[in-house]
Amino acid sequence: MNVSFQWLQDYVDLNGVDPKELAEKITRSGIEVDSVKARSEGISGVVIGHVVEREKHPDADKLSVTKVDVGGPELLQIVCGASNVAAGQNVPIAMIGAVLPGDFKIKKSKLRGVESQGMICSANELGIPEKFLSKTQKEGILVLPADAPIGSDALEYLGLNDQVLEFDLTPNRSDCLSMWGCAFEVAALLEKPVKLPHVVIHEDTTERASDLIQVSIEDAAPCLHYSARIIRDVVVKPSPQWMQNRLVAAGIRPISNVVDITNYVLLEYGQPLHAFDLSKLKHGEINVRYARSGEAFVTLDGVTRELDESMMVISDGFDAVALGGVMGGQDTEVNESTNQILLESARFDGGTVRLTSKKLGLRSESSVRFEKEVDPARVRLALDRAAALLAQYAGGRVISGVVETFKDENDRVLADVDSARRIHISNEKINLTLGTNLSSDEIAVIWSRLQFKAELHGEHWEVCVPSRRNDIRLAIDLIEEVARLYGYDRIPTSFIVGKTTTGALTNEQIIRRRLRGQLAAQGWHEVLTYSLTEPKTMQAFPVAGKHGVVTLAMPMSEERSVLRHSIIPALIEAAQYNRNRQLDDVRIFEVGHVFLGTENANNALPNEQLMLGLLWTGSKSPRHWSGKPQAIDFFDFKGQLETLFEKLGLTGLIWESSVREGFHPGRTAQVSVKIGEGVDVLGTIGQLHPDQQRAMDLSDTYVAELSVSVVVEAARRGVQFQALPKYPAISRDMALVLDRSVSVDTVIRETKALVGDLVESIRVFDVYEDEKLGRDKRSVAFSLLYRVPERTLTDEEVSQRHFGMVEKLNERFGAVLRA
Amino acid sequence: MKERLVSLQNAALAELEDVANPQELNEVRVQYLGKKGALTEILRGMGQLSAEERPVIGQLANDVRAAIEGALAELQTKFDAEETNRRLAQEKIDVTLAGRAPETGTLHPLNWVIQQVEDIFVGMGYIVAEGPEVERDYYNFEALNLPKNHPARDMQDSFYITDEILLRTHTSPVQVRTMEKMHGEVPVKIICPGKVYRRDNDDATHSHMFTQIEGLVIDKNVRMSDLKGTLLQFVQEMFGPETQIRLRPSFFPFTEPSAEVDVTCCMCKGNGCRVCKQSGWLEILGSGMVHPRVLEMAGYDPNEYTGFAFGMGVERIAMLKYGVDDIRHFYTNDLRFLRQFAHD
Ligand SMILES: [Zn+2]
């Protein structure tokens, strides 16, 4: 809402009040004032002049030489380039020494040899934005009305000496969508009274409006109150300059006296009005009803709209003539030839207007106000105010009587000016909620500033909230009014007095922090990527199992249309981004949610899983002078995870060769962990499929995606001390020639089973492949450490067990002991 | 024999004076003290000596040996020291060359800010509550006093999946879920960090996905002054002990009275600068007393209990704290950006 400071002064005495200071005060009390703009834009020295003479320039076809009366002793000679300049006009004159927007100074000059003592200004040159101008005003100089006072300040005449405060209203303060509402707010802040205009209507009693028109609301139609007046003999012409100035200050383009008056009253009262050309309402009837499905309607802006059954229309008994609360129709529009009008002031259901406006993508000054519910008590007041203005400025004859109807009896009661909500509240409740210690007297002052009538019964208030403050319905709403007018700054600072609580992170939160902290300590960079992504990138890593992809109903773009079910694509994207900037070594991780669709996707939330995604590409360590960078391989990556798992206390890990889409089939593992009796899958780690790498222009890249909830479940915190070994160990090495298809892990597990509790650890210390070993064979060297806690083992018993085991391995895997 | 020993000693010592290297030293050692050396040779004649002479000559022979050995050892030490010095000189390195430093990892600045905020509130007795990012309309809006078709819903244009399911637009649904789980028990003291989503085009100051931290306290006799006290303590721990707060009335459907909270500009300490548009204040928090309808819907009698809630944008705090000028940096994951947070 753009609030003209001058207009506001009609209602509240603002003498000595600085607009900027007022704006700060309003902002600090709950309505943010986004800006305070001087309409003058730095203009000075422009007066109203009268063109006495106009002649063609002797040496230039397109120029005119004028003699202008600016109220001084002599006429000024001014050269003008506008085609519409003519003798007899009143026009704004920028005198010698005047300043126009953009610090443009007017000097005495010669144009093609003819002296010019100033400039005749167009509206645009005076800083009035194009959108507020008519076609002729855009093209030439600004022609002022005949009654414009010659020689006086044009800024004042055009309202350009005004300041405009831009209120950024929160949804609850729709009362300030009107100048009245703003006036009450400002008056409350400044502790001043409000003066409202006194409306007097002279009705022509020779006719009765109710004889001319019938008004009805169809049963279900969401119109709560419809009132209308008939005004005859109107003369459509421009509205008075002061009214145009105020409309422009508020951001509305002046059109004609009839339209301007409806807009003026809309701004003044916050009540939208509509004027129909009465002669175009063919059937002497107004009927408010729901639109029919597919009903076509041409709105004032000339656009044909297709309506549906959720929308409300005003009809002439047959056809729609207005889209209730949103916009009038072209067919019944007021134009220059209109001489009688039906003036509508109604109260439509906000939700219906909001929905219609949203569906049609059509917002108007009216719909904005109806959406937030208008003041029921102002419907008739606004109607009368507009009728009086039409009589005054359009020469109209107001036919006697208001034709009106209500949806139900309660709405008739609400329309009564005196109906106010009564809310009960105690001093104690106010002070307990705010932590203040306000007395009844202090609170009484606040009610009176708000102009709420209030009665005190003991410690309890009964407050009458006028209907203009639609937002105040509960005791807490009144407490807020007290708080903001008392001043938030004056509310004390205190500490909660209740039972003290112990704050702590949960086990899961602690483990998550450890996990992230440990990875950072190991040289990984934590990243954050978007959850919304494009279906295409997700396809490379399809959802496991039967889960569906979670898709937005109305995405803003294809790029952000589905929820990710894997973090890996986003990590790849981050790697590409960095490699495109010559950052080739990328080691990143993210802990974030992935989203798996459920079968019952309409009613059930997707399955959200917290995952740890990792990506590593490039070299093992930063480039160093001492050697060539070494590219990472699977085991560098796996080692990083093993360190992480150890740090988190994960034991009983099972690594198995695995095949997953998007991954290198020979260099990918599924890792699981034993939890209690069961085994849970942690996730997949491996190299990106070479095809993927090529498509993404990446060198060898390793990625992993692990379930954080499984990590948390498997993680152990706290340490149980194990006694140190008292007896020496016996070490035995063995190098076995094995088929490549036999995994080392299988051999180790089998070995453990065979040698049982004698072996303390088994470690692989060499893996060797050579043609000489045979096709698809390799040699794996194991180092076994034999020890038991309670005694020293003898060489003989170890040897017996060891060689027995080797024999079994031979039977089991064809493993041959290498010489 | 005596004379032979004395002259042997003199000869050996004289020869040692000319020794130039460890090899020569060793030759001298062998020549005089070796198994077939000169001293052994002389001592072979000991058997012919009388019983009286034998101890005297024996003593003398020991002295001679000791003298020669002493001289040998001295030289040996000298040669050793020279050798060591030579080797040390060879081993000298250029210590100004770069060390072999492993890559330093980093936590994401947004998560780092979350962690700091969590720690401050955990210290004040709060627990950290979490909830789903995809939410029901009920938890995201309705239970927060935002019924369907409420005009205030326009303030947060959202991403819907179905009519009833959407990406949460704030972390407030976690508050509702927590209250429900508490079944009317008090006190409730939680903070809820997490990702939220709104239909914004990404630019320098907007992001369709961003991070919030909200807090909620419910108990008997929770007052607005407690909210002020709590927020003051928080901002002073977060931004420094001189930081002040300023509350400004505002509107949120789920709180009343509601307040925007400004803090002393951390760039200029409140003196006015470009960042705070010369006001000395920065808006960083929204807050208010929990709306009675929200309490009621979550199973708390608003006549008995009151509460306050507050929320802040993590990006905004991180941008102010670190002077980051574009919100997109947080989601682009440029390593040159991330590495800057190694030592915060
Ligand atoms: Zn500043």
Side-chain angles (χ1 to χ4, degrees):
Chain A
M1 176 85 181
N2 292 327
V3 178
S4 150
F5 191 76
Q6 287 182 357
W7 192 349
L8 198 59
Q9 255 169 326
D10 282 5
Y11 313 119
V12 187
D13 176 13
L14 296 177
N15 262 326
V17 177
D18 176 68
K20 286 219 162 63
E21 279 169 24
L22 176 63
E24 175 65 14
K25 203 159 195 159
I26 296 169
T27 297
R28 302 280 297 122
S29 313
I31 296 173
E32 204 164 333
V33 179
D34 281 349
S35 65
V36 179
K37 286 200 185 105
R39 288 200 59 208
S40 72
E41 311 249 8
I43 302 173
S44 67
V46 183
V47 301
I48 299 169
H50 181 73
V51 182
V52 179
E53 244 182 72
R54 179 219 161 230
E55 277 171 9
K56 282 190 81 173
H57 190 288
D59 294 320
D61 280 354
K62 291 190 175 163
L63 295 181
S64 306
V65 180
T66 63
K67 294 273 190 305
V68 180
D69 174 7
V70 291
E74 282 167 28
L75 299 185
L76 301 180
Q77 174 172 292
I78 296 175
V79 180
C80 178
S83 59
N84 67 330
V85 64
Q89 287 171 336
N90 288 342
V91 288
I93 307 291
M95 311 273 280
I96 304 295
V99 182
L100 295 183
D103 207 22
F104 173 43
K105 293 194 178 75
I106 303 298
K107 293 172 192 150
K108 192 184 266 189
S109 62
K110 274 191 174 175
L111 285 116
R112 293 276 181 113
V114 178
E115 189 174 293
S116 185
Q117 298 168 297
M119 186 176 116
I120 306 180
C121 303
S122 69
N124 210 8
E125 280 159 345
L126 293 175
I128 303 174
E130 287 230 328
K131 61 177 173 178
F132 299 124
L133 305 178
S134 65
K135 193 161 172 281
T136 49
Q137 284 173 337
K138 272 182 219 171
E139 284 166 357
I141 51 162
L142 178 61
V143 181
L144 300 174
D147 61 358
I150 312 299
S152 64
D153 186 355
L155 287 193
E156 198 179 316
Y157 184 74
L158 293 168
L160 294 175
N161 58 344
D162 196 2
Q163 311 236 30
V164 178
L165 282 67
E166 192 189 339
F167 283 22
D168 182 8
L169 296 174
T170 51
N172 59 326
R173 291 307 301 273
S174 56
D175 59 306
C176 287
L177 284 169
S178 68
M179 291 301 295
W180 277 26
C182 297
F184 277 106
E185 176 72 9
V186 169
L189 299 183
L190 300 178
E191 305 191 41
K192 288 189 174 170
V194 178
K195 305 165 284 179
L196 296 177
H198 184 58
V199 176
V200 184
I201 304 186
H202 301 287
E203 293 186 325
D204 177 358
T205 51
T206 58
E207 279 185 293
R208 284 201 331 218
S210 55
D211 294 336
L212 301 170
I213 197 97
Q214 303 295 311
V215 172
S216 60
I217 301 170
E218 258 181 36
D219 289 346
C223 172
L224 311 166
H225 180 187
Y226 195 98
S227 70
R229 275 188 177 274
I230 285 171
I231 297 114
R232 290 205 199 265
D233 302 337
V234 294
V235 180
V236 177
K237 57 181 183 183
S239 59
Q241 189 63 41
W242 63 264
M243 185 179 282
Q244 293 191 32
N245 295 345
R246 289 183 170 187
L247 291 179
V248 171
I252 294 178
R253 184 162 76 95
I255 292 168
S256 68
N257 52 357
V258 174
V259 177
D260 291 359
I261 285 167
T262 59
N263 282 330
Y264 185 78
V265 176
L266 167 140
L267 290 169
E268 200 175 28
Y269 287 63
Q271 169 64 42
L273 300 170
H274 185 66
F276 296 96
D277 187 327
L278 182 63
S279 52
K280 294 173 189 164
L281 294 172
K282 290 164 227 141
H283 310 285
E285 191 185 340
I286 286 286
N287 177 242
V288 187
R289 60 165 169 83
Y290 274 116
R292 296 179 191 105
S293 172
E295 187 170 355
F297 177 66
V298 184
T299 40
L300 276 177
D301 51 9
V303 179
T304 305
R305 318 265 173 183
E306 193 182 321
L307 310 184
D308 70 33
E309 287 157 320
S310 72
M311 302 172 182
M312 177 179 17
V313 296
I314 315 302
S315 83
D316 63 359
F318 295 85
D319 299 320
V321 291
L323 200 48
V326 181
M327 197 174 268
Q330 202 174 42
D331 291 347
T332 54
E333 188 183 0
V334 170
N335 58 26
E336 291 89 47
S337 59
T338 301
N339 60 20
Q340 49 182 341
I341 59 175
L342 180 135
L343 188 64
E344 163 200 292
S345 181
R347 187 158 71 88
F348 300 113
D349 168 61
T352 308
V353 172
R354 182 169 186 268
L355 200 66
T356 305
S357 154
K358 206 170 176 183
K359 275 186 183 167
L360 297 176
L362 182 61
R363 295 198 91 199
S364 63
E365 294 286 345
S366 295
S367 72
V368 171
R369 286 170 176 80
F370 281 121
E371 273 176 20
K372 289 172 181 156
E373 307 292 348
V374 295
D375 179 357
R378 282 192 205 167
V379 176
R380 231 185 271 128
L381 294 180
L383 181 70
D384 287 352
R385 169 69 165 161
L389 289 172
L390 284 166
Q392 194 174 352
Y393 295 105
R397 183 158 58 83
V398 182
I399 303 305
S400 79
V402 171
V403 190
E404 66 183 336
T405 185
F406 296 90
K407 186 154 175 69
D408 61 39
E409 199 48 40
N410 184 45
D411 294 316
R412 187 188 296 278
V413 173
L414 285 175
D416 187 336
V417 184
D418 289 324
S419 77
R421 276 182 297 278
R422 280 160 205 285
I423 302 174
H424 298 264
I425 178 101
S426 69
N427 287 341
E428 189 196 14
K429 182 72 185 165
I430 294 171
N431 284 320
L432 271 181
T433 308
L434 301 178
T436 48
N437 193 15
L438 297 173
S439 67
S440 297
D441 287 348
E442 286 173 292
I443 292 169
V445 168
I446 292 172
W447 304 143
S448 98
R449 284 168 68 185
L450 289 163
Q451 309 211 16
F452 293 175
K453 290 195 186 80
E455 275 175 49
L456 185 63
H457 309 282
E459 286 281 294
H460 291 260
W461 291 98
E462 185 181 74
V463 183
C464 291
V465 179
S467 56
R468 66 183 156 83
R469 287 302 301 273
N470 188 27
D471 58 320
I472 298 177
R473 295 178 166 272
L474 306 171
I476 194 71
D477 302 324
L478 283 177
I479 295 176
E480 180 172 57
E481 290 300 295
V482 171
R484 71 184 190 92
L485 288 178
Y486 177 67
Y488 279 16
D489 288 341
R490 294 165 70 193
I491 294 172
T493 298
S494 61
F495 289 101
I496 302 164
V497 287
K499 196 169 78 183
T500 53
T501 50
T502 317
L505 296 178
T506 63
N507 180 56
E508 179 178 345
Q509 287 160 351
I510 291 169
I511 289 167
R512 270 182 356 224
R513 276 205 194 180
R514 283 194 180 183
L515 180 152
R516 293 172 36 247
Q518 176 60 25
L519 282 170
Q522 285 175 219
W524 294 75
H525 294 284
E526 186 179 30
V527 299
L528 281 177
T529 62
Y530 296 131
S531 308
L532 286 170
T533 182
E534 59 186 327
K536 196 175 63 192
T537 52
M538 277 293 128
Q539 277 157 16
F541 297 88
V543 197
K546 288 183 292 188
H547 295 292
V549 174
V550 184
T551 307
L552 293 184
M554 283 166 54
M556 289 174 77
S557 67
E558 175 80 2
E559 260 185 302
R560 308 258 173 262
S561 60
V562 297
L563 281 167
R564 63 180 180 190
H565 55 251
S566 167
I567 298 180
I568 292 172
L571 296 180
I572 294 173
E573 205 179 300
Q576 280 180 297
Y577 172 94
N578 281 292
R579 286 178 60 94
N580 289 342
R581 284 156 187 79
Q582 287 83 48
L583 300 155
D584 290 340
D585 300 342
V586 181
R587 188 171 0 169
I588 52 177
F589 76 98
E590 176 173 2
V591 174
H593 283 105
V594 300
F595 306 83
L596 308 174
T598 54
E599 279 177 35
N600 184 13
N602 266 333
N603 299 312
L605 296 180
N607 183 356
E608 267 178 54
Q609 305 235 340
L610 195 62
M611 303 302 281
L612 164 64
L614 303 104
L615 177 146
W616 195 5
T617 185
S619 45
K620 246 180 240 193
S621 47
R623 184 94 200 255
H624 195 253
W625 52 266
S626 60
K628 275 190 182 160
Q630 252 188 304
I632 52 152
D633 66 15
F634 180 87
F635 299 101
D636 292 314
F637 189 52
K638 182 177 172 182
Q640 287 285 324
L641 288 175
E642 285 172 323
T643 304
L644 173 70
F645 293 154
E646 184 177 355
K647 201 76 189 170
L648 295 175
L650 265 68
T651 49
L653 292 160
I654 301 159
W655 299 81
E656 291 160 299
S657 182
S658 162
V659 175
R660 188 178 153 187
E661 208 156 326
F663 284 78
H664 189 307
R667 295 181 178 174
T668 297
Q670 175 177 283
V671 56
S672 313
V673 62
K674 282 186 191 142
I675 298 174
E677 296 300 301
V679 171
D680 280 23
V681 176
L682 270 168
T684 307
I685 98 160
Q687 188 185 337
L688 276 188
H689 197 286
D691 291 348
Q692 288 262 6
Q693 291 182 172
R694 211 171 307 120
M696 319 257 179
D697 195 24
L698 290 169
S699 62
D700 280 3
T701 300
Y702 291 86
V703 293
E705 194 162 32
L706 307 172
S707 159
V708 173
S709 56
V710 175
V711 170
V712 168
E713 217 185 320
R716 276 181 303 120
R717 286 163 58 209
V719 168
Q720 178 61 54
F721 167 72
Q722 305 286 313
L724 302 181
K726 286 194 185 105
Y727 302 98
I730 293 175
S731 171
R732 287 271 192 281
D733 291 351
M734 62 174 183
L736 298 176
V737 178
L738 290 158
D739 280 349
R740 281 188 56 177
S741 62
V742 178
S743 79
V744 166
D745 192 53
T746 324
V747 178
I748 291 177
R749 264 186 278 149
E750 185 67 19
T751 308
K752 272 188 182 154
L754 291 168
V755 292
D757 49 7
L758 291 197
V759 74
E760 186 178 271
S761 70
I762 304 174
R763 199 166 50 83
V764 174
F765 66 91
D766 186 38
V767 177
Y768 166 75
E769 284 180 34
D770 194 304
E771 301 254 312
K772 281 179 244 162
L773 294 172
R775 215 179 146 78
D776 285 331
K777 298 275 186 193
R778 61 176 174 171
S779 155
V780 182
F782 299 86
S783 175
L784 290 86
L785 205 62
Y786 289 93
R787 179 175 12 222
V788 290
E790 61 285 348
R791 64 188 172 86
T792 306
L793 289 172
T794 64
D795 249 5
E796 295 76 57
E797 62 181 323
V798 168
S799 295
Q800 198 188 344
R801 196 69 82 86
H802 187 78
F803 290 106
M805 174 265 294
V806 172
E807 254 171 57
K808 288 266 165 52
L809 289 179
N810 180 277
E811 285 167 24
R812 180 96 172 65
F813 303 114
V816 179
L817 203 55
R818 202 164 142 239
Chain B
M1 202 163 186
K2 204 177 188 174
E3 294 74 33
R4 284 178 63 198
L5 283 170
V6 172
S7 70
L8 178 101
Q9 176 177 346
N10 291 339
L13 294 180
E15 204 162 325
L16 279 175
E17 281 185 17
D18 297 334
V19 161
N21 57 49
Q23 287 76 35
E24 284 177 24
L25 185 69
N26 205 36
E27 281 163 22
V28 174
R29 184 198 315 274
V30 172
Q31 185 190 333
Y32 289 95
L33 302 181
K35 273 185 187 152
K36 292 174 183 165
L39 185 61
T40 319
E41 192 68 22
I42 293 174
L43 292 179
R44 222 172 259 155
M46 284 278 277
Q48 292 153 11
L49 293 179
S50 65
E52 296 84 49
E53 272 180 317
R54 212 176 281 162
V56 179
I57 295 300
Q59 180 61 45
L60 181 64
N62 282 343
D63 290 348
V64 168
R65 177 183 290 273
I68 298 171
E69 276 179 345
L72 280 167
E74 204 175 299
L75 273 172
Q76 184 68 48
T77 308
K78 179 173 159 254
F79 288 137
D80 283 354
E82 280 171 10
E83 172 62 22
T84 305
N85 285 339
R86 198 163 37 247
R87 207 175 55 237
L88 290 179
Q90 270 169 14
E91 284 173 3
K92 183 172 167 58
I93 54 166
D94 180 355
V95 297
T96 64
L97 279 169
R100 220 170 270 116
E103 173 86 11
T104 317
T106 48
L107 291 182
H108 194 281
L110 294 179
N111 284 336
W112 178 229
V113 168
I114 290 177
Q115 240 166 267
Q116 292 173 65
V117 176
E118 282 177 350
D119 289 346
I120 292 171
F121 281 101
V122 164
M124 289 161 76
Y126 289 63
I127 58 169
V128 180
E130 292 161 306
E133 290 172 32
V134 181
E135 258 299 359
R136 292 187 188 284
D137 187 274
Y138 175 79
Y139 288 111
N140 193 74
F141 288 130
E142 283 173 59
L144 289 160
N145 197 26
L146 271 154
K148 291 220 163 74
N149 266 326
H150 192 287
R153 282 199 181 194
D154 288 346
M155 291 165 87
Q156 303 182 354
D157 218 347
S158 25
F159 291 111
Y160 275 89
I161 291 164
T162 69
D163 285 348
E164 293 300 326
I165 297 175
L166 74 160
L167 305 192
R168 66 180 177 193
T169 57
H170 43 200
T171 53
S172 315
V174 182
Q175 302 184 6
V176 180
R177 284 175 178 273
T178 307
M179 286 190 275
E180 262 186 13
K181 257 183 253 161
M182 295 284 286
H183 295 293
E185 291 286 306
V186 289
V188 176
K189 273 171 103 172
I190 53 166
I191 55 159
C192 323
K195 289 175 189 161
V196 300
Y197 304 83
R198 291 188 197 169
R199 292 183 84 88
D200 270 323
N201 284 309
D202 297 338
D203 61 25
T205 53
H206 296 85
S207 180
H208 73 276
M209 178 178 101
F210 60 101
T211 321
Q212 261 195 345
I213 303 182
E214 294 191 330
L216 171 74
V217 171
I218 296 172
D219 204 343
K220 283 189 175 162
N221 301 324
V222 176
R223 302 156 296 178
M224 195 160 168
S225 55
D226 300 333
L227 169 64
K228 280 183 85 172
T230 302
L231 294 179
L232 184 63
Q233 187 181 345
F234 163 65
V235 300
Q236 291 187 342
E237 287 194 41
M238 190 78 192
F239 299 105
E242 280 86 44
T243 314
Q244 290 300 317
I245 56 168
R246 188 177 79 163
L247 270 64
R248 206 154 27 82
S250 188
F251 170 78
F252 307 109
F254 28 91
T255 53
E256 188 160 11
S258 302
E260 298 274 10
V261 183
D262 300 337
V263 302
T264 316
C265 175
C266 48
M267 303 288 165
C268 62
K269 306 283 169 223
N271 296 317
C273 68
R274 191 183 52 81
V275 175
C276 59
K277 296 191 184 106
Q278 308 306 330
S279 71
W281 296 97
L282 293 169
E283 181 187 322
I284 62 154
L285 278 147
S287 68
M289 303 303 291
V290 181
H291 198 286
R293 260 190 233 131
V294 174
L295 288 172
E296 214 165 67
M297 275 185 278
Y300 289 87
D301 179 357
N303 294 315
E304 200 175 340
Y305 300 106
T306 47
F308 62 71
F310 54 87
M312 63 198 105
V314 179
E315 283 81 354
R316 171 135 177 95
I317 290 178
M319 287 169 91
L320 292 171
K321 204 172 154 72
Y322 304 118
V324 175
D325 59 357
D326 191 321
I327 197 170
R328 288 168 294 197
H329 282 310
F330 294 117
Y331 297 100
T332 311
N333 300 310
D334 191 313
L335 288 171
R336 295 164 300 182
F337 173 78
L338 297 172
R339 283 197 182 112
Q340 292 181 29
F341 299 92
H343 52 76
D344 184 71

